[in-house]
Amino acid sequence: AGDEVNVKAYGYYESTDSTAMNTYATGETMLASLADALAGGSMYVGEGGQAITSQTIENMLSLGNNTTYESLKSTATDPAYPRTYLNYLVFDENMNILSDECQVVQLKGAATTWNTLELDGDVIVGNNGYVLIYFSGESDMDTWIDNIHFVTVKGRLLQTQQYYPHGLIVES
């Protein structure tokens, strides 16, 4: 809680074919693809964090979380643009999605021009838990994401605790 996050990238697409923009992969297909990518082991775990296990991934990609994400995405979707998104998802410590802290930003703007995908200002994480940031392209057309900027600023330290080996607390 208290960390500040900002993500900005640039997206590009050439086609203005509305059929291709609105022909896309199902939520189940995208969920399976994301699970495979996360299970592959190329992810960042913050300071003091633990390795992310397949059980953590399964909890994160639960049906309830997927339903919430699909609702966020449908609110952000304009069918006049490709279904390419910057996804910023916040989970509590039990891997339940916190929809009021999440943002889904669709690639919008003119074709054949680099358009900005950016979170609405610097976002301050309100709860302890996890943040998942990724880009997804669902349309049946080519889109490109480039020049990704990810900035995180640690929140104010509220408490520290020192331990002896085997878990005894060091009294100050």
Side-chain angles (χ1 to χ4, degrees), residues 33-46 50-54 57 60 131-135:
S33 177
L34 180 59
D36 288 345
L38 292 174
S42 55
M43 65 190 81
Y44 171 77
V45 178
Q50 301 172 351
I52 295 183
T53 65
S54 60
I57 293 169
M60 180 176 57
V131 173
L132 176 63
I133 301 170
Y134 66 98
F135 295 90

Side-chain angles (χ1 to χ4, degrees), residues 30-91:
M30 294 298 292
L31 198 60
S33 177
L34 180 59
D36 288 345
L38 292 174
S42 55
M43 65 190 81
Y44 171 77
V45 178
E47 182 179 324
Q50 301 172 351
I52 295 183
T53 65
S54 60
Q55 183 61 47
T56 303
I57 293 169
E58 188 176 310
N59 292 345
M60 180 176 57
L61 301 176
S62 70
L63 181 60
N65 284 346
N66 185 52
T67 302
T68 302
Y69 168 69
E70 288 295 328
S71 173
L72 288 166
K73 188 172 62 172
S74 80
T75 302
T77 300
D78 182 340
Y81 299 102
R83 293 177 63 97
T84 299
Y85 304 96
L86 160 59
N87 300 282
Y88 172 82
L89 305 178
V90 179
F91 299 86

Side-chain angles (χ1 to χ4, degrees), residues 62-170:
S62 70
L63 181 60
N65 284 346
N66 185 52
T67 302
T68 302
Y69 168 69
E70 288 295 328
S71 173
L72 288 166
K73 188 172 62 172
S74 80
T75 302
T77 300
D78 182 340
Y81 299 102
R83 293 177 63 97
T84 299
Y85 304 96
L86 160 59
N87 300 282
Y88 172 82
L89 305 178
V90 179
F91 299 86
D92 66 14
E93 293 173 306
N94 297 315
M95 299 309 293
N96 298 309
I97 197 165
L98 302 171
S99 61
D100 56 329
E101 292 192 37
C102 298
Q103 292 185 39
V104 177
V105 181
Q106 185 180 17
L107 172 59
K108 295 181 181 176
T112 68
T113 303
W114 286 97
N115 300 288
T116 304
L117 286 109
E118 186 172 21
L119 296 180
D120 292 334
D122 292 337
V123 178
I124 297 177
V125 180
N127 295 293
N128 289 336
Y130 306 91
V131 173
L132 176 63
I133 301 170
Y134 66 98
F135 295 90
S136 60
E138 301 175 8
S139 292
D140 189 21
M141 62 186 296
D142 292 333
T143 57
W144 294 268
I145 303 295
D146 197 11
N147 204 14
I148 301 166
H149 299 268
F150 174 78
V151 178
T152 181
V153 178
K154 289 184 182 185
R156 205 172 121 238
L157 181 63
L158 300 177
Q159 175 182 349
T160 63
Q161 187 67 56
Q162 301 292 323
Y163 294 90
Y164 289 112
H166 306 292
L168 293 174
I169 296 175
V170 175

Side-chain angles (χ1 to χ4, degrees), residues 15-24 79-83 139-141:
S15 175
T16 56
D17 177 14
S18 63
T19 302
M21 285 183 194
N22 293 296
T23 302
Y24 53 92
Y81 299 102
R83 293 177 63 97
S139 292
D140 189 21
M141 62 186 296

